[in-house]
Amino acid sequence: MFKTMKRIIKWTGEYKKRLYIGFLWSFLQTLFTAFPIMGAAYFMDFMIKDSRGEIQMQPVMAWYALLFMVVAVLGRFLFSYLRATFQESIAYEKTAEERIQIGNILKRVSLGFFDENNTGEIAGAVTTDLSVYEMYAMKMTDVIIGAYIHVAAMILCLLFFCWQAALIALAGVALSAFFLHLVSRSSSRNSVVHQKAQNSLVASVIEFVRGIAVVKAYGQEGVSVKGIKDAFREHQKINIKIELDYVWRNGLHQISLKLASVGIVLVTAVLAMQGEMELPVFLMMAVFSFVLFSQVEQVQNGAHTMQLIETAMNKLEAIKNAEFIDTGAGNAAPENYDIAFSDVDFSYGRNRVLHNVSFQIPQGSATAIVGPSGSGKTTICSLLARFYDVDSGSITVGGTDVREFTCDSLLGNISMVFQNVYLFRDTIRNNICFGKPDAAEEEMIEAAKKARCHDFISDLPQGYDTMIGEGGGTLSGGEKQRISIARAILKDAPIVILDEATASVDPENEHLIQAAISELARGKTLITIAHRIATIENADQILVVDRGRIVQCGRHQELAAQKGIYRNFVETRERAEGWRITGNK
Ligand code: ADP
Ligand code: MG
């Protein structure tokens, strides 16, 4: 728990100063809580002395006492307010920065990182885990550190009147801190065991449910229920153990504080009886002994929250330690846009998907990649965009290895349009401007016109300000595709990659999309993964991929004349497209 606290403080980074000043306010706030008690004791002392006739009390003193109380209460509110303003916003500001930072990190890691760590977990880290932080980090700092500051300030006040009482209080706090340490140590140890038991419980329930048909069919309930029963029993045993472990440690923590309170009352009572302490001071000590530990007593309630924070922190750290794919790269611009793959091998994990892939694409030419599904076409494009790094061989743009560019400087030169369009939950305008955020309105509309989407956008009641649902819910597939092409046209990158951009739209939309694509590809170095004969026929070069190898390469005429995969492909396609034309009549 205290270790987690230390990590939180470290996490606040440049806000640390504000955090510490907040602690100072917190300290002053406690002093102002203690002042009324001390003031009351003094006042009582005067009253007693007055009643004994030792001194003569003036009525004005009562006014002073009242004023003192008012000042103390106001001071307490003031410092509590100051503490909140200094500390509480830290978490919000810091998590906002953190979200942006993580976004920047994720932009620069290999896509393999997302395959290895499931995307749900990463999304969870950025949303839920950071929210846990946002909500609890500062609150817990106040609960835990604040509690110790509170008790320290109180002990200082005690010290002012009676060093013995201060010493007892100190010993009580130290002892309780020790037992709290035991609580958090055992709870972090137990949480591992608990997680394991939980997992095995879930697994056996799933197994039971999956196998239920078999169980019923063979009348074997007895056997299969045993697995579940065992898992439940184990789970129950562990929970009881965790509870017992907690109870005695937590009990000792509470008892240390209670004993210290009792000790203070006893010692001061003895001193008072021996006449070494005035009666009002003794009474004040008794009051102090009640409020002294009130906050430290609550500290263990935060143990669970601290555990949550700790887990969140570990996950975030794992993301932050992810390896950048482009460390050591420069922000260079390529000299030209000739593309060359030489002897590229690539595997996803241990699954080798590309073997010795070599080809060249001259600047300004159009290349089509064809091949059966799963042969590695998309992978070739992903490697060019450096979503992954090659295992061996090299990929160059303008003679420079893609590994020498930063992700931003490489991707600045590439526009990609995919079969599955992803549009952001934002306005159409912002979706188009995504590739060029500073584009002027006319520029944006020009791009939309070229992409053949200006007309349907203008027909929408809110035009370019229409919000798009998650993934583009409210638009048709073809419309979404054209918006994504407008985005690419506006970006105006010299290299254009189209991955089955027209594969899943109806013929009418396909015609419009083809027109949009022609606009996009004008004068660009174009790589198309396509099935349509019309698209492939006009390419300057066709690469035929089969099981991760380039098996044929050339123009349509040459390849169609040869026996092989390409000719088979063309024949099947012609039959399919021919069938569709007649089918549509
Ligand atoms: P294509 O685009 O030609 O259909 P891909 O390049 O998408 O083929 O896939 C080539 C092979 O790599 C396939 O066997 C596919 O299962 C595998 N693959 C693709 N993406 C991944 C990934 N992210 N992780 C693991 N394997 C993948
Ligand atoms: Mg593909």
Side-chain angles (χ1 to χ4, degrees), residues 373-374 376-379 419 499-500 529:
S373 160
K377 305 180 294 294
T378 300
T379 305
Q419 175 182 357
D499 189 348
E500 311 201 12
I529 299 177

Side-chain angles (χ1 to χ4, degrees), residues 29-50:
Q29 179 197 341
T30 309
L31 285 187
F32 274 80
T33 317
F35 284 159
I37 305 176
M38 286 150 67
Y42 265 109
F43 193 66
M44 210 148 67
D45 193 29
F46 280 130
M47 286 204 309
I48 291 171
K49 284 186 179 144
D50 178 67

Side-chain angles (χ1 to χ4, degrees), residues 412-428:
N413 295 309
I414 302 177
S415 283
M416 302 179 102
V417 178
F418 303 96
Q419 175 182 357
N420 297 321
V421 185
Y422 190 87
L423 297 179
F424 299 99
R425 217 216 206 39
D426 202 337
T427 57
I428 291 183

Side-chain angles (χ1 to χ4, degrees), residues 283-559:
L283 286 177
M284 176 190 72
M285 285 295 184
V287 173
F288 262 129
S289 79
F290 283 118
V291 293
L292 187 55
F293 302 121
S294 59
Q295 298 202 11
V296 181
E297 270 170 25
Q298 303 302 322
V299 165
Q300 95 287 351
N301 291 337
H304 176 66
T305 315
M306 290 305 270
Q307 195 82 42
L308 282 181
I309 293 181
E310 171 96 28
T311 320
M313 221 156 12
N314 289 340
K315 273 200 229 160
L316 291 171
E317 208 128 278
I319 293 184
K320 281 201 217 150
N321 289 335
E323 219 173 295
F324 286 160
I325 198 169
D326 61 351
T327 358
N331 257 325
E335 287 176 15
N336 58 53
Y337 299 100
D338 293 338
I339 297 165
F341 274 55
S342 13
D343 285 328
V344 170
D345 287 339
F346 178 72
S347 328
Y348 289 108
R350 294 164 78 188
N351 174 20
R352 181 85 167 268
V353 292
L354 294 183
H355 309 265
N356 270 314
V357 171
S358 298
F359 59 84
Q360 279 165 20
I361 299 175
Q363 175 172 350
S365 70
T367 298
I369 304 180
V370 297
S373 160
S375 55
K377 305 180 294 294
T378 300
T379 305
I380 290 177
C381 298
S382 304
L383 290 179
L384 175 59
R386 209 170 167 221
F387 292 158
Y388 302 93
D389 266 340
V390 298
D391 295 347
S392 66
S394 70
I395 301 170
T396 58
V397 175
T400 311
D401 196 299
V402 289
R403 282 168 286 196
E404 285 168 30
F405 300 104
T406 56
C407 292
D408 279 345
S409 64
L410 178 66
L411 287 171
N413 295 309
I414 302 177
S415 283
M416 302 179 102
V417 178
F418 303 96
Q419 175 182 357
N420 297 321
V421 185
Y422 190 87
L423 297 179
F424 299 99
R425 217 216 206 39
D426 202 337
T427 57
I428 291 183
R429 179 196 317 281
N430 288 343
N431 266 288
I432 296 180
C433 289
F434 183 71
K436 191 181 178 189
D438 55 353
E441 182 78 8
E442 303 82 57
E443 237 181 314
M444 193 266 303
I445 292 179
E446 184 61 32
K449 280 184 180 156
K450 281 185 183 161
R452 306 290 188 270
C453 50
H454 179 69
D455 292 342
F456 86 80
I457 295 174
S458 308
D459 285 346
L460 293 170
Q462 278 154 314
Y464 284 91
D465 294 315
T466 308
M467 283 295 289
I468 295 177
E470 182 99 66
T474 45
L475 301 170
S476 82
E479 288 169 339
K480 282 190 272 179
Q481 189 58 282
R482 278 179 276 153
I483 290 179
S484 84
I485 294 173
R487 181 195 283 171
I489 289 179
L490 187 61
K491 183 176 174 186
D492 198 27
I495 298 172
V496 174
I497 299 174
L498 304 171
D499 189 348
E500 311 201 12
T502 57
S504 61
V505 289
D506 48 281
E508 197 171 319
N509 260 309
E510 187 170 334
H511 169 70
L512 287 169
I513 290 176
Q514 283 301 345
I517 286 177
S518 311
E519 291 282 354
L520 170 62
R522 188 165 295 157
K524 303 285 159 59
T525 307
L526 175 70
I527 301 174
T528 326
I529 299 177
H531 296 305
R532 301 264 304 149
I533 303 285
T535 322
I536 305 165
E537 258 176 357
N538 299 324
D540 300 310
Q541 165 178 243
I542 299 163
L543 302 172
V544 183
V545 187
D546 187 32
R547 276 170 284 173
R549 293 173 204 276
I550 306 274
V551 289
Q552 285 178 297
C553 169
R555 280 176 164 273
H556 176 73
Q557 253 63 21
E558 302 163 36
L559 295 183

